[in-house]
Amino acid sequence: MQVINFKRLNRMKNIKYFLFLMLGVLVMSSCSDDKDTAVFNSANTVAPTLQAINSSYVLEMANADKSFATFTYSAASWGDVALGTKYQVEASLTQDFASPVQFDASTGNSISSVTVAKINNIILNAGINPGTATKMFFRVKAYATGESANVSSISALTSAVVSTTVTPYSTKIEYPKVWVLGDYNGWSHDKAQFLFSYNSNTVYTGVIDFSEKYAALQWGFKITGAASWDNATGNWGATDGTQVADAAMTLANNGANITAYQGTKRFYRFTFTKVSMDAPTLAKDIAFNTITIVGEAGSQVSGWGTKEVVLNFDTTTQLFYADVTFGSGEFKFRLDKDWATNWGGAEGVLKAGGDNIKVTAGNYRVYVDLNNPDKMTYELNTKDYGK
């Protein structure tokens, strides 16, 4: 049970006349005794009640930008303490909300900004096939707001769970993302690269190309939560003190430029964890200058390192690619022409140190996606060769 004191101190007026001195003393004594101590007691709080939504939904691409549902709930109560309240709807594919997805917050008693596309992405991101009716769970959480430092220690109030069945449609998945921009792209949001939340949670990953000029970069980079420098959506940079590239760094909203990685490697895969708006973390997963195709599969790829093909990077798709004429054989991918980090695999899935990849002779556009460390992939595409 939480108990927190909030004191309201009253100002006393000066006593103007001597004849009222004694009366003034009595008034001051009374006011002193009357200093209110508003006591927050968690036992007196009342959580919001989330109203039921439709029992089932069949989603359609034509309605992607429309509201999925209006989530309506009763006001939370903080007992005897007058506090503001911020509400946030959470969704989950499991009733225990082990990996909840949070949506935009509101101070009102309803939220209708959750779009059909957002709900559809949650289901597809979980690997559920389009057209499959899927159970989903929703709840609303109430957070105390106010100027007192004590507010941050008050636990959120959580509603009971409501459920529905949702059938998703087929589409390319649009993952939640954060913007990475800096000296490498002229500090332009229009030319930014991204880190993606592949599980629609607080963890974002991706490969960033600091360009062939990486060694000359001077001013570092920052991360924003939107195509904006607004602190409300996130404008994250380094905190004061020494920046260490090989350790997870705690960032700050409206912080300084991140310079720990400049001038060392061209490509970095980062993990950005938004544990809070004010103190997210940034960690380097891997750093390298080249990724190559190495093996024994034709004249371009031979000798398991005698000849290997360096992949290019598309900053728009954030994929590596190369056009290769293969002979029938086997190959793998490795970083910086070193076997310390190499990937093999089968059926489009890459595994660290995995088996050699078999290929039939032909012309291929080879794609490699390293953005999601939990699901790195490759593709041998004959149609895109030479484009």
Side-chain angles (χ1 to χ4, degrees):
M1 179 178 70
Q2 290 179 298
V3 177
I4 300 172
N5 291 337
F6 293 82
K7 293 184 177 180
R8 301 194 297 271
L9 303 178
N10 298 321
R11 294 181 178 179
M12 304 312 301
K13 295 183 178 179
N14 293 327
I15 306 303
K16 295 182 179 180
Y17 304 102
F18 178 77
L19 293 177
F20 295 101
L21 177 60
M22 295 305 294
L23 178 60
V25 171
L26 291 173
V27 171
M28 291 179 69
S29 176
S30 174
C31 288
S32 178
D33 292 338
D34 193 43
K35 290 178 182 177
D36 292 333
T37 300
V39 179
F40 171 78
N41 188 333
S42 61
N44 297 331
T45 61
V46 179
T49 300
L50 178 60
Q51 295 183 10
I53 56 177
N54 293 347
S55 60
S56 65
Y57 296 83
V58 177
L59 306 184
E60 297 179 0
M61 186 183 295
N63 299 325
D65 294 330
K66 295 182 180 180
S67 175
F68 166 72
T70 298
F71 296 94
T72 304
Y73 40 86
S74 62
S77 173
W78 305 103
D80 297 329
V81 181
L83 296 172
T85 308
K86 178 181 72 175
Y87 299 94
Q88 193 163 39
V89 170
E90 292 186 338
S92 175
L93 294 176
T94 59
Q95 195 166 3
D96 62 0
F97 282 78
S99 299
V101 178
Q102 295 182 327
F103 301 107
D104 297 338
S106 172
T107 56
N109 290 110
S110 67
I111 293 177
S112 57
S113 59
V114 181
T115 64
V116 167
K118 289 179 180 178
I119 298 297
N120 198 74
N121 280 338
I122 292 172
I123 300 173
L124 296 186
N125 287 352
I128 297 171
N129 292 327
T132 303
T134 304
K135 195 80 168 180
M136 289 196 74
F137 303 89
F138 296 91
R139 67 186 183 187
V140 64
K141 299 186 79 170
Y143 298 88
T145 61
E147 296 181 359
S148 171
N150 289 325
V151 170
S152 62
S153 65
I154 296 177
S155 299
L157 303 176
T158 306
S159 73
V161 175
V162 301
S163 64
T164 185
T165 299
V166 183
T167 303
Y169 56 84
S170 177
T171 185
K172 180 181 178 181
I173 300 174
E174 295 290 338
Y175 297 103
K177 62 189 179 184
V178 293
W179 281 246
V180 179
L181 62 161
D183 191 32
Y184 81 94
N185 75 337
W187 295 94
S188 170
H189 279 95
D190 293 337
K191 298 177 182 179
Q193 295 170 45
F194 305 97
L195 306 180
F196 303 93
S197 180
Y198 289 100
N199 293 312
S200 296
N201 55 16
T202 59
V203 179
Y204 298 76
T205 63
V207 174
I208 302 299
D209 177 9
F210 287 124
S211 84
E212 69 279 359
K213 299 179 181 179
Y214 72 91
L217 297 180
Q218 300 179 33
W219 308 114
F221 65 96
K222 297 186 78 174
I223 299 172
T224 66
S228 164
W229 293 108
D230 191 339
N231 293 343
T233 52
N235 170 21
W236 297 289
T239 56
D240 294 335
T242 303
Q243 299 183 39
V244 181
D246 291 328
M249 293 192 296
T250 298
L251 304 183
N253 207 346
N254 200 30
N257 295 343
I258 303 166
T259 58
Y261 308 96
Q262 66 183 33
T264 305
K265 296 288 185 179
R266 174 172 177 172
F267 299 101
Y268 283 85
R269 186 174 69 206
F270 292 114
T271 293
F272 173 77
T273 305
K274 196 168 63 175
V275 290
S276 73
M277 284 292 290
D278 295 324
T281 61
L282 181 68
K284 175 196 73 176
D285 295 335
I286 51 176
F288 56 97
N289 288 324
T290 62
I291 177 172
T292 59
I293 303 170
V294 57
E296 192 64 71
S299 60
Q300 288 183 263
V301 180
S302 63
W304 288 102
T306 302
K307 290 186 178 180
E308 50 193 310
V309 175
V310 177
L311 278 71
N312 304 300
F313 188 78
D314 186 328
T315 57
T316 301
T317 63
Q318 293 186 218
L319 300 178
F320 291 93
Y321 70 95
D323 288 331
V324 183
T325 298
F326 280 115
S328 295
E330 299 179 342
F331 69 92
K332 300 183 79 171
F333 300 97
R334 66 176 180 172
L335 299 185
D336 292 338
K337 298 185 178 181
D338 191 315
W339 289 108
T341 304
N342 71 89
W343 296 287
E347 298 181 351
V349 178
L350 289 176
K351 294 183 179 180
D355 295 336
N356 297 344
I357 300 168
K358 301 182 186 303
V359 62
T360 303
N363 296 326
Y364 298 89
R365 168 68 61 90
V366 180
Y367 293 104
V368 173
D369 186 346
L370 300 180
N371 290 292
N372 183 357
D374 295 327
K375 190 178 181 181
M376 296 181 290
T377 62
Y378 71 93
E379 179 186 354
L380 302 178
N381 189 310
T382 56
K383 296 181 179 179
D384 289 352
Y385 178 85
K387 287 187 177 180

